[in-house]
Amino acid sequence: MTGGIFLQAVISGLSVGAVYGLVGLGFTLVWSLTRVLALAHGDVVVASVLMGVLVVIGRTPVASSPGVGHSVLLVVLTLAAGVVLAVLSYAVAVRPFLDRSRRSNDVLGWVAGTVTAGLVIRTALALALPAAAYAVPDALHLDQLTTSGVVDLPGGATVTVRSFAVFGVAVVVALATDWFIRASRAGRGMRAIAEDVDAATMCGVNVERLVIAAFALAGLLAAIAALLDAPAHSVAVDSGALLGLTGAAAALLGRLGSPRGAVVGGLALGVAQQLIATSSHLGAAWASAFPLAVLVTVVAVRPGGLRSGRQVVVE
Amino acid sequence: MNTFANDLYLLVAAFGLALPVSYAGLPVLGQGAFVAVGAFGTLMLAVHGVPLLVAVLCASAMAAIAGYVLGFATTRLAGASLALGTWGVAWLAYVVLVQFPSVSGGSQGRTHTTPARLVSPSLGVVVTLHAWVHVLAAAVICAALAFVLWRGGRGPWGLDWAALRTGPVLADSLGVPVQRRRRALLAASAALGAVGGAGTALLAGVAAPADYSPLLSLQLFVAVLIGGTATWWGPAIGVGLLAAVPSAADGLANAFSIDPLRARGVLTAVLLVAALAAREPVTRLLQRVVASLPGHSFRVGGPLLPDQGVAGAYRSARGEQRGPTDANEGGVLLALTGVAVRYAGVQALAGVDIDLRAGEVHALVGPNGSGKSTVLRVASGVLTPAAGRVSINDRPVPAPGAAARRVVAGVARTLQRTALLGTLPTATQCAIGARAQDREPFLGVRHLVATPVARDAQRRRDAITAGALELTGLTGESDLAADRLDSASQRLLQIARAVATGAPAVLLDEPAAGMSAGQRRRLVGTLRSLTDSGRGVLLVEHDMSLIGQVADRVTVLDAGRVIASGTYAEIQRDPAVRRAYLGEVLDADAQEPAHS
């Protein structure tokens, strides 16, 4: 692997990884408030952008560069769809299985509920969008930052200018989310719930409202991730489950419950995956199995995530 | 015929999945991966000339090992990590099959000649596996599994599974080796999944990646959920419904001109939603229907004492009971020597010596935060002390570990908060405790064929249960669901469960919390009968009048140190105790006259 190829893999890995990080951020947020793993989260990501495409462009897969009006519409619709789907999946698939303090109670219940929600979203989407995969236009026009759309790297390799933009936007969004959780009133409430839900209730934190807000925020992040990621390749209707599990792997790598950890985990995962993909020994097949292997390994070795200490048996 | 055989093989996988999901309450989403291991493993080995039966066994063993390894660390975090891990495995297996043609044989899959032949040169037997042979083989396996679930669910296994399902932490404190049982169930489940997979692959003569997508894992999960909790017939109903999916999906696909695979997804989603919505009500309805049939009882562990009076059984069993009667009167049951514990910066215990003798109530008192509960945690093995030694019956405890091993060694404990094993009947909860007294190996297997040893063990458990209920005055409530007992009876049930384990040292953490004066009198009676039976009680309690009535010895802790030890009267006079409880100011006042 030459230096140029290596640099290319790292840059495109950071771009892909930033998207994983946003997905993992939503995943970890939901976990820390409710101790529920949002197994439908990946389907929310894919469904949000495809619902936007369905309304703006239609059912036939066409590659087009939309005008300003359509771009704005696509962005707004996607963000709205992400929020609505995430909140809906909470109301229908998670809420019935939580106890009074909004904590995971009936594990079999919410596991079945969330995988069902994912399957329902996937199937409904497949019925509405019959083609195997859809090209999604770049509503943010990140590819038009330079005239050629690519940047030359030393050593002869090139990388799309989108990669830098996607990485930049995703990191800014992640930092904003981190600031929101740390500094805003609602974010403080969320952290209080994550620490001790009973104590938070006694301090007057409206748990139900903030849990819904957390799901909405996760949905918003999912939609942003979809807007950033989808134009890079065509989007298959049922690719969401895999993306969701990759996000979960990112969240686990950075310790479940840690927003910054999820983003760092996503970046590490993305870079490693791209390096594997460009490696002459391993290649694309290994790269596609890699995040899942990481997920299964981390779950088996450290159920709470890689950076967590030893699990303490809770009475 | 072929479809029916295929459905029966899926039922084998579903029966396997029912063990962890519906009996032990674990969310396992990866059964499809183990089915794939069975299918592809068998065909790969067969290509290399391995005899078919050996190939099936090897593939199943591979799956079992995978299941066991997966279960090793993923059964914590209240099962959430298991859901994520198994869902990850389901997708990993699928991605590997799709991306690595060297494993799966490409999108066309691996093939085998049909009908397959079982050839045994040494026996000179050749069996051709026609479709009807498959049906027969699968039906025999299914019947055997249904029997194992039905019969096993009523014996020692059923008690352990019920404990795993309703309260893993509590089960541990009652002597059920939770992690070991879970791993065993996951391994068995994976092996059965692989058997089912091998069957489907040999039947069709082909295994293609598309047939082992995560949708299969979801479908099997649904099939098991539909039947509800811990029912042997549940998977059969579930797979029966699933079997209708392909033909119904084709009809749907034709009617609305959609992709048949999509239509299957739609129907699976509908079934999942229906299963979720109807989970509780349908289980209750079906159980009522089955229970109304003659000769059926839904109590886990079988009917309690069919032909004997409870008290009579207790008397007749007293001679057989181990545990307290083995301990010599007045011998040291439990001793903590120089035990020190630090919680993040706080010295919870600093060199504490405490012992408990047979036949005494040893009360542990002290202000909040003095380390009373920490002593119980160390003694019961939940907490590892930074320094010091714990010995049980004069034998040092080996490496600290699960509380379950402590129970078998002779120390049982109740929790400070009221903890119930779900809605299991009072008697069943005690019978789970009584499991700790079973020493015979393979009791679950022996129960399946009702050997004399298993029957004796069952009688012994029933007698122990009856005795524990009598001791705590809960005999009249033995059939009641535990959540319908009043709070005092629930506190007493905790003691009854600990007593049933047969551990001579019983550690009680604030048993009188929330009890009225009358209920406390009942508790005093229970504690007296405990010591009369040769047990020792280490009692953490705030109610001084209760301690005055029952305690033979009182040890006072303050800030992690023993500041006094003696009879109740001695303790009352001790200046150090008065200082700890009443504070320095009063103490200074009290000492004033001595100086003047």
Side-chain angles (χ1 to χ4, degrees):
Chain A
M1 194 184 288
T2 66
I5 302 288
F6 179 79
L7 199 59
Q8 183 192 34
V10 169
I11 291 171
S12 54
L14 285 175
S15 147
V16 177
V19 171
Y20 294 162
L22 288 187
V23 179
L25 192 52
F27 192 83
T28 219
L29 200 61
V30 166
W31 164 264
S32 56
L33 263 73
T34 58
R35 295 292 181 271
V36 162
L37 301 169
L39 296 176
H41 195 55
D43 294 296
V44 171
V45 175
V46 169
S48 63
V49 71
L50 285 186
M51 279 170 79
V53 168
L54 181 66
V55 174
V56 176
I57 298 167
R59 300 182 68 186
T60 33
V62 283
S64 62
S65 189
V68 178
H70 274 173
S71 294
V72 173
L73 190 61
L74 184 59
V75 170
V76 170
L77 276 174
T78 302
L79 296 183
V83 170
V84 169
L85 280 176
V87 172
L88 256 183
S89 72
Y90 165 71
V92 177
V94 176
R95 182 70 188 85
F97 306 106
L98 299 184
D99 58 9
R100 265 179 299 131
S101 54
R102 309 294 178 276
R103 281 298 169 105
S104 133
N105 185 26
D106 177 0
V107 175
L108 271 186
W110 66 252
V111 166
T114 50
V115 291
T116 309
L119 186 63
V120 167
I121 291 175
R122 234 175 297 154
T123 342
L125 211 56
L127 291 180
L129 297 166
Y134 283 80
V136 177
D138 191 352
L140 302 175
H141 298 281
L142 297 175
D143 51 347
Q144 287 160 22
L145 290 176
T146 64
T147 42
S148 62
V150 293
V151 174
D152 293 315
L153 296 175
T158 59
V159 53
T160 59
V161 69
R162 282 198 87 251
S163 302
F164 295 98
V166 165
F167 176 71
V169 173
V171 166
V172 167
V173 168
L175 286 176
T177 310
D178 191 56
W179 174 85
F180 173 78
I181 295 170
R182 267 164 213 288
S184 76
R185 194 181 149 78
R188 278 204 305 272
M190 287 179 186
R191 278 185 7 242
I193 297 171
E195 282 296 325
D196 187 333
V197 67
D198 295 323
T201 313
M202 276 183 253
C203 295
V205 174
N206 187 334
V207 176
E208 178 75 47
R209 195 188 296 167
L210 282 183
V211 166
I212 292 176
F215 270 85
L217 182 55
L220 192 68
L221 292 170
I224 294 171
L227 280 174
L228 291 175
D229 183 52
H233 45 79
S234 62
V235 178
V237 170
D238 38 19
S239 60
L242 213 49
L243 183 58
L245 284 173
T246 310
L252 271 171
L253 271 181
R255 184 165 63 84
L256 215 45
S258 152
R260 290 178 188 178
V263 176
V264 174
L267 292 176
L269 203 59
V271 171
Q273 193 183 21
Q274 288 300 314
L275 286 176
I276 290 172
T278 46
S279 140
S280 48
H281 297 293
L282 299 168
W286 287 93
S288 56
F290 173 70
L292 291 169
V294 167
L295 173 74
V296 173
T297 313
V298 175
V299 167
V301 178
R302 284 279 171 88
L306 207 58
R307 285 201 301 127
S308 71
R310 284 184 62 111
Q311 293 293 311
V312 182
V313 179
V314 186
E315 276 180 44
Chain B
M1 200 62 128
N2 265 334
T3 333
F4 186 52
N6 193 55
D7 292 340
L8 282 177
Y9 279 127
L10 281 186
L11 183 54
V12 173
F15 272 134
L17 187 62
L19 283 171
V21 174
S22 114
Y23 281 85
L26 298 172
V28 178
L29 291 172
Q31 186 71 335
F34 298 118
V35 175
V37 168
F40 286 94
T42 303
L43 296 193
M44 276 171 89
L45 290 171
V47 166
H48 291 97
V50 178
L52 272 189
L53 272 182
V54 178
V56 172
L57 286 178
C58 286
S60 305
M62 256 154 45
I65 291 168
Y68 192 83
V69 169
L70 189 67
F72 222 90
T74 55
T75 43
R76 288 177 236 162
L77 273 184
S81 63
L82 186 66
L84 190 57
T86 50
W87 190 223
V89 165
W91 277 94
L92 182 61
Y94 181 59
V95 168
V96 166
L97 286 178
V98 170
Q99 297 283 352
F100 293 85
S102 54
V103 177
S104 64
S107 61
Q108 296 306 307
R110 296 198 164 267
T111 54
H112 191 272
T113 50
T114 45
R117 286 165 199 277
L118 292 178
V119 184
S120 169
S122 53
L123 296 177
V125 180
V126 177
V127 181
T128 308
L129 296 177
H130 296 294
W132 67 268
V133 181
H134 277 290
V135 169
L136 196 67
V140 167
I141 299 175
C142 284
L145 288 175
F147 174 76
V148 167
L149 290 187
W150 169 73
R151 175 89 189 145
R154 274 139 209 276
W157 281 346
L159 291 172
D160 288 357
W161 296 340
L164 293 186
R165 189 170 67 235
T166 51
V169 177
L170 199 54
D172 192 46
S173 78
L174 290 175
V176 179
V178 175
Q179 300 296 344
R180 227 170 64 206
R181 291 280 183 278
R182 283 177 170 176
R183 287 197 292 271
L185 285 178
L186 285 172
S189 159
L192 289 172
V195 169
T200 54
L202 289 177
L203 174 73
V206 61
D211 296 334
Y212 302 91
S213 73
L215 186 63
L216 176 65
S217 296
L218 276 190
Q219 287 181 324
L220 288 169
F221 187 64
V222 184
V224 172
L225 276 192
I226 287 175
T229 303
T231 53
W232 61 268
W233 36 263
I237 291 180
V239 171
L241 281 175
L242 275 186
V245 164
S247 53
D250 289 346
L252 199 69
N254 283 332
F256 295 94
S257 64
I258 48 175
D259 180 20
L261 271 179
R262 292 279 178 228
R264 285 188 196 192
V266 173
L267 287 180
T268 306
V270 169
L271 270 182
L272 252 172
V273 172
L276 273 180
R279 198 157 62 119
E280 290 302 316
V282 167
T283 312
R284 256 180 273 134
L285 182 75
L286 288 173
Q287 288 195 341
R288 218 173 301 145
V289 171
V290 177
S292 67
L293 304 174
H296 275 86
S297 158
F298 257 94
R299 189 173 24 213
V300 181
L304 183 74
L305 304 176
D307 48 5
Q308 283 176 306
V310 165
Y314 178 46
R315 275 192 295 276
S316 72
R318 263 189 173 158
E320 308 172 18
Q321 263 189 72
R322 273 165 311 182
T325 44
D326 290 351
N328 51 333
E329 201 71 30
V332 176
L333 298 175
L334 169 71
L336 275 65
T337 320
V339 165
V341 172
R342 283 187 78 82
Y343 294 124
V346 181
Q347 189 82 38
L349 290 180
V352 166
D353 298 333
I354 284 174
D355 63 4
L356 177 67
R357 294 168 190 282
E360 71 165 355
V361 173
H362 184 169
L364 206 53
V365 300
N368 282 330
S370 58
K372 305 183 297 289
S373 290
T374 306
V375 168
L376 295 198
R377 288 204 187 105
V378 170
S380 62
V382 179
L383 202 66
T384 313
R389 217 162 51 88
V390 179
S391 63
I392 297 171
N393 285 328
D394 287 333
R395 278 188 293 272
V397 192
R405 260 177 285 162
R406 290 288 168 94
V407 174
V408 176
V411 175
R413 173 200 175 194
T414 66
L415 301 179
Q416 192 171 352
R417 62 183 166 82
T418 301
L420 300 173
L421 291 167
T423 58
L424 293 178
T426 310
T428 307
Q429 303 213 6
C430 287
I432 288 170
R435 271 284 282 150
Q437 300 205 39
D438 288 336
R439 294 291 187 280
E440 300 83 351
F442 305 114
L443 260 190
V445 182
R446 288 171 160 182
H447 176 82
L448 289 182
V449 286
T451 64
V453 173
R455 271 189 261 175
D456 285 349
Q458 169 107 31
R459 268 197 290 277
R460 187 180 62 226
R461 273 195 305 275
D462 286 347
I464 293 167
T465 302
L469 291 175
E470 192 191 54
L471 200 73
T472 46
L474 290 171
T475 307
E477 293 156 311
S478 64
D479 287 337
L480 267 188
D483 58 336
R484 296 179 55 191
L485 299 175
D486 64 45
S487 66
S489 294
Q490 288 179 348
R491 302 295 294 177
L492 286 169
L493 172 58
Q494 311 216 86
I495 300 178
R497 280 189 316 232
V499 166
T501 62
V506 180
L507 321 182
L508 304 180
D509 203 345
E510 301 198 16
M515 283 191 180
S516 67
Q519 289 160 338
R520 274 164 205 245
R521 277 195 292 279
R522 192 169 149 200
L523 178 66
V524 168
T526 298
L527 293 179
R528 292 241 164 88
S529 354
L530 274 178
T531 50
D532 287 348
S533 67
R535 291 176 173 86
V537 176
L538 190 58
L539 175 70
V540 167
E541 186 51 66
H542 281 297
D543 181 351
M544 281 302 171
S545 73
L546 180 80
I547 289 173
Q549 287 174 62
V550 295
D552 300 292
R553 210 151 44 113
V554 181
T555 294
V556 187
L557 283 176
D558 186 36
R561 285 172 204 283
V562 175
I563 56 167
S565 186
T567 65
Y568 182 64
E570 288 165 5
I571 292 299
Q572 273 189 314
R573 289 192 297 271
D574 193 300
V577 176
R578 297 175 75 92
R579 205 178 306 131
Y581 267 93
L582 302 173
E584 296 288 352
V585 180
L586 274 174
D587 187 55
D589 287 343
Q591 296 201 350
E592 206 81 336
H595 286 286
S596 61

